[in-house]
Amino acid sequence: MTTTTALTNHQVRLAKRPTGLPTRDVWSFTTEPVREPADGGVLVRNLAISLDPAMRGWMNEGKSYIEPVGIGDVMRAGGIARVVASKNPQFKEGDLVSAATGAQEYALIEAAQARKAGLFKIDQRLGTPNQWLNVLGMPGMTAYFGLLDVGQPKPGDTVVVSGAAGAVGQTVGQLAKVKGCRVVGIAGGPAKCEWVVNELGFDACIDYKAGNVRQGLKDHCPKGVDVYFDNVGGEILDHVLAKLARGARIVICGAISQYNNMEAVQGPKNYMSLLVNRARMEGMVVFDYVDRFPQAVGELAGYLKDGRMKSREDVVSGLDNFPEALLKLFKGENFGKLVLKIADA
Ligand code: NAP
């Protein structure tokens, strides 16, 4: 077993609750000695952590689908890590695992926390460590269950997805294509739009930064929108509401345009379209589907293998860069799933 007593852990902690964008001053950087695991525990070294828009919500006080990160706590984050010491017979030194490891170099996952931390060994035959943070990880699970369970697409349906070149969006669009749908993405900028059409096989993409989303929906969804997978909320949601087909399903996955608001969240104005079109709008939280993750991983890994699914990750290096890297999500500067690399594999 590796000697762990000489190791130092570097951590990113939430120093205060942000107002608006979470700038560097809301974080503190700490060091502490690494401790040995007790019986049933494992000590892991983070290779990479996932940076997620949801982190912004976890920084707020108040009731949500998960408790907020406490002031002074290590920031919650999902990671891919290598086991450096184990007192759990299911894991051995050198294993690669996925778990809620936090924004830190080392994570001690004691026996009692293993389930809550979602600790499991990853199978590198199915995907790379970065893909286990993307299509085979939480964003991919969100795409899979949000689209299939909540969106219920049928072959021939028109599926629109916003945040199309991001982590969740890239998998939603490709999965909808696999299921025989016509797919229209919405993304910021020509490079992202070009990628989802030319590389991922979407039928069209609307560059919302170039202007007219309404016209774009009219051009690319002549029969209306059957499924809208909403990652962004705000004005774009209103434009799609105005273009629904009869019986449409809107998956409320996220509303990143609203996460750093200093004013009240902007709700949909065109909601009467739900009535007129006998449509429904439903929220989903990926953690509700944990028991079915293996089914989704199996299916998505199959598409990765047979080439029907591609994945793109945007990797930033260094724990010290955590604050600026996180901001990329809210500025649309990430191209693909945003990953923070912490150590070499
Ligand atoms: P992502 O799409 O990889 O990154 C965020 C993207 O959002 C940015 O790259 C940017 O892309 C876009 N964006 C940022 N500000 C925007 C604005 N004001 N208006 C429109 N677009 C904006 O992130 P992700 O991890 O895949 O997450 C996507 C959404 O899913 C988020 O809302 C997240 O909270 C949600 N989510 C929900 C669950 C759940 O269980 N419900 C789980 C995971 C994620 P552009 O360059 O295209 O603007």
Side-chain angles (χ1 to χ4, degrees):
M1 182 179 288
T2 306
T3 307
T4 55
T5 42
L7 299 173
T8 300
N9 194 10
H10 294 86
Q11 302 154 317
V12 180
R13 292 175 186 270
L14 183 63
K16 62 178 183 187
R17 304 219 176 271
T19 316
L21 283 172
T23 42
R24 186 166 264 269
D25 58 307
V26 308
W27 306 106
S28 65
F29 294 82
T30 56
T31 54
E32 65 180 31
V34 169
R35 286 185 292 119
E36 292 276 345
D39 273 352
V42 291
L43 175 72
V44 301
R45 176 162 201 210
N46 259 328
L47 303 183
I49 58 170
S50 173
L51 298 186
D52 295 292
M55 288 174 155
R56 182 62 190 83
W58 304 338
M59 297 165 77
N60 293 336
E61 213 157 15
K63 189 173 177 287
S64 185
Y65 61 89
I66 193 169
E67 70 264 28
V69 174
I71 301 294
D73 287 354
V74 172
M75 184 59 193
R76 179 184 297 137
I80 298 296
R82 197 173 287 287
V83 174
V84 291
S86 176
K87 291 202 177 133
N88 179 329
Q90 287 168 14
F91 300 93
K92 62 178 188 317
E93 201 180 317
D95 282 348
L96 272 188
V97 296
S98 169
T101 49
Q104 56 185 343
E105 239 176 318
Y106 293 92
L108 187 59
I109 304 171
E110 296 293 12
Q113 301 155 350
R115 192 176 154 74
K116 194 174 173 202
L119 176 68
F120 68 92
K121 253 187 269 189
I122 64 163
D123 184 345
Q124 287 193 83
R125 290 168 304 180
L126 303 186
T128 63
N130 283 342
Q131 285 176 327
W132 275 98
L133 291 176
N134 187 13
V135 50
L136 302 179
M138 191 274 287
M141 300 301 101
T142 306
Y144 185 94
F145 293 106
L147 179 69
L148 301 186
D149 270 49
V150 184
Q152 298 181 1
K154 297 185 292 298
D157 275 357
T158 296
V159 174
V160 173
V161 56
S162 52
V168 175
Q170 59 180 267
T171 299
V172 168
Q174 293 180 90
L175 189 55
K177 284 303 296 177
V178 169
K179 302 292 174 186
C181 302
R182 174 178 166 73
V183 177
V184 178
I186 303 178
K192 289 183 178 181
C193 277
E194 200 183 300
W195 179 67
V196 302
V197 172
N198 295 339
E199 287 291 318
L200 303 189
F202 288 28
D203 296 282
C205 182
I206 302 165
D207 174 2
Y208 75 92
K209 288 189 176 162
N212 207 332
V213 175
R214 203 169 147 218
Q215 186 60 45
L217 289 167
K218 211 169 152 193
D219 294 344
H220 298 300
C221 310
K223 294 189 205 147
V225 177
D226 298 296
V227 178
Y228 175 46
F229 195 106
D230 188 15
N231 284 317
V232 306
E235 267 177 37
I236 293 176
L237 171 57
D238 259 324
H239 286 308
V240 181
L241 273 166
K243 199 67 189 105
L244 294 185
R246 190 164 172 164
R249 289 80 68 198
I250 298 183
V251 183
I252 300 295
C253 172
I256 194 167
S257 70
Q258 307 298 306
Y259 293 174
N260 294 292
N261 269 2
M262 311 278 259
E263 307 99 42
V265 167
Q266 181 191 322
K269 295 190 188 78
N270 293 333
Y271 80 96
M272 285 297 285
S273 173
L274 297 173
L275 183 158
V276 175
N277 293 298
R278 290 78 158 171
R280 69 178 165 82
M281 190 151 104
E282 186 176 333
M284 68 85 60
V285 173
V286 64
F287 303 123
D288 295 347
Y289 298 89
V290 167
D291 292 344
R292 293 169 58 202
F293 281 6
Q295 165 206 333
V297 166
E299 189 174 331
L300 293 170
Y303 300 143
L304 279 176
K305 195 165 178 202
D306 70 20
R308 280 186 283 174
M309 180 78 63
K310 292 181 181 163
S311 79
R312 179 171 183 149
E313 295 86 31
D314 185 342
V315 181
V316 176
S317 289
L319 196 59
D320 288 350
N321 295 322
F322 175 93
E324 289 73 29
L326 182 63
L327 290 179
K328 288 178 76 157
L329 292 169
F330 307 110
K331 296 176 179 170
E333 288 172 1
N334 64 305
F335 195 157
K337 165 66 199 151
L338 187 60
V339 167
L340 187 69
K341 180 180 168 185
I342 295 180
D344 286 325

